Amino acid sequence: QVQLVESGGGLVQGGGSLRLSCAAYGSIFSSNVMGWYRQAPGKQRELVASITSVSGRNYADSVKGRFTISRGNDKNTVYLQMNRLKPEDTAVYYCNFMNLGGPLYRVDYWGQGTQVSVSS
């Protein structure tokens, strides 16, 4: 099993910045991918950004150039730096983890979610 502990989020004015953090604990395989998804009211959950254990990154088109995903030195923590926030970025943000090997291959794990609200 893998546990995810999220922090960050909150309320910010449009144009502002926030940083989300997510630490993974437990049965972590050396090859894995961590990411952030978000879900706005009445909408489906969507991928915001992801990063592999070898730092391959993927971003949603809507956040490219504004958001940056990175890993901590321990490799088991992921950060999402969100700049130039817009009201349409308002959503609950969820951390996601997936092993890319080992006995828990491709099992999805989710954090509890953290609210990001951007005022206009």
Side-chain angles (χ1 to χ4, degrees), residues 20-23 34 36 51 69-72 76-80 95:
L20 305 182
S21 301
C22 174
M34 297 185 74
W36 289 94
I51 183 168
I69 192 168
S70 62
R71 293 227 184 194
N76 295 334
T77 301
V78 65
Y79 303 99
L80 185 68
C95 180

Side-chain angles (χ1 to χ4, degrees), residues 96-107:
N96 175 265
F97 177 95
M98 180 185 293
N99 279 313
L100 299 178
L104 299 175
Y105 176 67
R106 290 199 173 272
V107 175

Side-chain angles (χ1 to χ4, degrees), residues 12-70:
V12 66
Q13 274 194 324
S17 299
L18 283 174
R19 189 193 199 203
L20 305 182
S21 301
C22 174
Y25 302 93
S27 301
I28 296 170
F29 193 72
S30 56
S31 178
N32 58 71
V33 58
M34 297 185 74
W36 289 94
Y37 288 69
R38 67 187 180 188
Q39 188 166 18
K43 294 188 176 181
Q44 286 190 326
R45 190 173 295 189
E46 62 175 1
L47 174 69
V48 177
S50 64
I51 183 168
T52 69
S53 46
V54 293
S55 297
R57 292 173 173 84
N58 183 39
Y59 293 96
D61 288 342
S62 59
V63 307
K64 283 180 181 176
R66 299 187 298 123
F67 292 10
T68 302
I69 192 168
S70 62

